[in-house]
Amino acid sequence: MGVLKNVGALVAIGAVLIAIFPPPDVLSGLSSNHDHGPLEIQAIMTAFCLSPIIGTLLGEREGIDTTGGDFKFEEDGDIENDEYAQASIYAILYAMYKNTPNLISPHGKTYQFTFNTWGFAPSPYPEDDPQRHGKAAYAGLVTQPAALEYKKKLGDTPLEIVEIGCGTAAGANLITREVHPTAHYLALDMQQAAINTCNAIHATEDNPGLTCKVVPNGVGNGGNQAPVKDSSIDFVVISETHIADIEIGDLEKEIFTEIRRILKPNGLFLWGNAIPTRVWEQADVELPKLGFELVNNKNHTEGAVIARDEDKERVDMVMDQLLEPYYIMNAPYFGPRCHKVGERLIANFYRHPGTALYLKMVTGYDSYMHQAWRIKK
Ligand SMILES: C[S@@+](CC[C@H](N)C(=O)[O-])C[C@H]1O[C@@H](n2cnc3c(N)ncnc32)[C@H](O)[C@@H]1O
């Protein structure tokens, strides 16, 4: 009887929430220009969990394309890009991170999930730092030999840095507080919720070098510019941002052209990511056409796989903790099914052990590279 009462209460709460906030499709219908509040996400999650897409994602019906090979969403989280809009997934993820500000790490540390860069091992940061691999990636990216040489030549003049796809600006925060503390750093993202988090916890009064701004619909999209002058920037940073994860297409070329516009002569484009090895080869052809020359190139794939393995326990905990606040997850039948789908979606995005994106790094189909590209005079 008690169980029935609880189920009835859950369904009633869900129905009221859905009526107040008619929810869009989580995979493709959420706007990056809107910061979804706690009640809105409850409604969105409830509708998502009650919708037929859950059965489809669990492989009970035909309908979800994978990226090919032997991958299956229900086993390894693999899903073709056409099936979702990254902007929509990020809108819900950033709202979920913000709604769960007190995660607990395996070492018992309380922290807010801010790094979407999962990074690599070894990390110079302490083992009990929950986001140590992401920190290693950001610190490594901006201290590549060419970057240190550039900074030395600049002397006391502050570095002017722009980041495209900064997320919550966790990496930018590390750089402005610890790695290059005199830098002026403009962190850009298309997600309003991520920039709100940046302004709340990173770009605070005690960190005057950091500014976070939203670029609606993203830099390069439809010719969108970064809000900076021509030839004014020393470093442009991109870290684990979903560009070039299929090919160097029109959007990537627009972004590279924009990077070229804002970099000073001899300025550096510092790019770190795990993307298909063949796409790095395409970049080797396309970037020189725009006047870039490759000056550093380091393969971190092995360390990235080790980081995922070392981070497994924490990420398992993160997934449970992120999904826990949603009432619908406690509903019999719908809850466990939806938890499984949510967990697979999040895990694949994070290259968690066993997922398609993790396995692609293990086989070398994807490579995690750190590169520095210098713009020729
Ligand atoms: C995987 S997350 C990484 C975020 C951040 N680098 C970090 O490590 O936490 C990718 C981010 O890139 C942003 N993004 C993707 N393309 C973008 C573009 N063209 N302009 C601005 N932001 C973009 C997304 O909104 C998302 O927040």
Side-chain angles (χ1 to χ4, degrees):
M1 192 64 192
V3 172
L4 283 179
K5 222 167 139 187
N6 285 341
V7 175
L10 281 170
V11 172
I13 291 170
V16 170
L17 288 171
I18 291 167
I20 301 174
F21 305 106
D25 168 17
V26 171
L27 290 186
S28 60
L30 300 182
S31 167
S32 54
N33 301 329
H34 179 67
D35 189 352
H36 298 84
L39 284 178
E40 266 178 294
I41 314 187
Q42 287 286 356
I44 290 165
M45 290 297 250
T46 306
F48 177 63
C49 294
L50 297 177
S51 74
I53 183 94
I54 298 298
T56 310
L57 287 166
L58 288 172
E60 292 160 4
R61 281 183 294 280
E62 292 285 307
I64 288 294
D65 288 337
T66 65
T67 58
D70 294 330
F71 296 122
K72 275 200 173 117
F73 176 84
E74 61 274 25
E75 283 164 21
D76 46 44
D78 192 39
I79 184 167
E80 182 56 89
N81 267 4
D82 296 354
E83 300 286 352
Y84 65 91
Q86 274 161 14
S88 187
I89 295 273
Y90 275 113
I92 190 92
L93 283 179
Y94 286 126
M96 287 168 78
Y97 302 158
K98 199 151 61 87
N99 280 338
T100 321
N102 295 312
L103 298 174
I104 309 290
S105 79
H107 289 89
K109 286 208 160 187
T110 303
Y111 70 106
Q112 181 167 352
F113 186 102
T114 51
F115 276 85
N116 264 289
T117 280
W118 285 80
F120 46 70
S123 171
Y125 296 92
E127 203 191 321
D128 66 353
D129 182 334
Q131 305 191 92
R132 70 190 190 282
H133 300 113
K135 288 186 175 178
Y138 263 98
L141 194 56
V142 297
T143 55
Q144 293 180 77
L148 292 180
E149 209 177 287
Y150 185 104
K151 191 179 175 214
K152 200 169 163 194
K153 281 193 193 146
L154 205 60
D156 291 337
T157 312
L159 279 167
E160 299 293 334
I161 306 178
V162 165
E163 180 175 357
I164 300 174
C166 65
T168 65
N173 182 56
L174 175 79
I175 293 166
T176 48
R177 286 185 198 266
E178 295 179 27
V179 185
H180 297 310
T182 55
H184 298 154
Y185 200 117
L186 176 62
L188 304 173
D189 203 281
M190 58 199 274
Q191 288 286 346
Q192 188 64 56
I195 294 300
N196 288 353
T197 298
C198 171
N199 284 323
I201 64 174
H202 293 141
T204 45
E205 266 179 20
D206 58 343
N207 190 16
L210 176 60
T211 307
C212 291
K213 276 196 184 148
V214 76
V215 176
N217 305 317
V219 174
N221 193 0
N224 256 352
Q225 293 200 326
V228 285
K229 291 191 188 129
D230 293 1
S231 310
S232 58
I233 300 301
D234 298 298
F235 297 166
V236 173
V237 171
I238 295 191
S239 178
E240 291 192 36
T241 291
H242 290 272
I243 64 159
D245 52 6
I246 300 174
E247 60 171 353
I248 305 296
D250 291 345
L251 177 64
E252 287 74 13
K253 286 179 194 164
E254 293 268 10
I255 293 172
F256 295 157
T257 304
E258 184 56 5
I259 293 172
R260 193 205 145 89
R261 179 186 74 78
I262 65 177
L263 276 176
K264 292 178 185 171
N266 283 325
L268 296 173
F269 167 31
L270 306 173
W271 185 15
N273 206 353
I275 55 175
T277 308
R278 66 178 160 75
V279 179
W280 286 115
E281 287 161 9
Q282 280 177 25
D284 287 346
V285 175
E286 293 301 327
L287 281 161
K289 287 187 196 163
L290 291 167
F292 291 91
E293 62 178 332
L294 185 62
V295 287
N296 288 136
N297 188 27
K298 191 162 182 193
N299 192 329
H300 288 282
T301 315
E302 212 176 299
V305 172
I306 294 170
R308 297 291 83 77
D309 294 340
E310 288 180 356
D311 221 11
K312 184 177 182 309
E313 190 184 352
R314 176 181 78 103
V315 178
D316 282 338
M317 288 173 72
V318 166
M319 289 188 294
D320 281 343
Q321 292 169 31
L322 284 181
L323 293 169
E324 197 202 296
Y326 303 99
Y327 305 131
I328 188 69
M329 296 296 165
N330 299 318
Y333 182 73
F334 295 106
R337 286 162 61 82
C338 194
H339 195 282
K340 185 169 179 201
V341 167
E343 188 254 328
R344 285 290 88 190
L345 277 173
I346 297 171
N348 192 45
F349 240 50
Y350 300 162
R351 295 179 181 263
H352 202 42
T355 60
L357 287 180
Y358 169 90
L359 295 169
K360 285 179 181 179
M361 291 201 300
V362 172
T363 59
Y365 181 91
D366 285 357
S367 303
Y368 194 127
M369 307 299 295
H370 264 184
Q371 295 190 335
W373 289 87
R374 181 162 43 216
I375 195 80
K376 289 184 214 152
K377 282 185 200 163

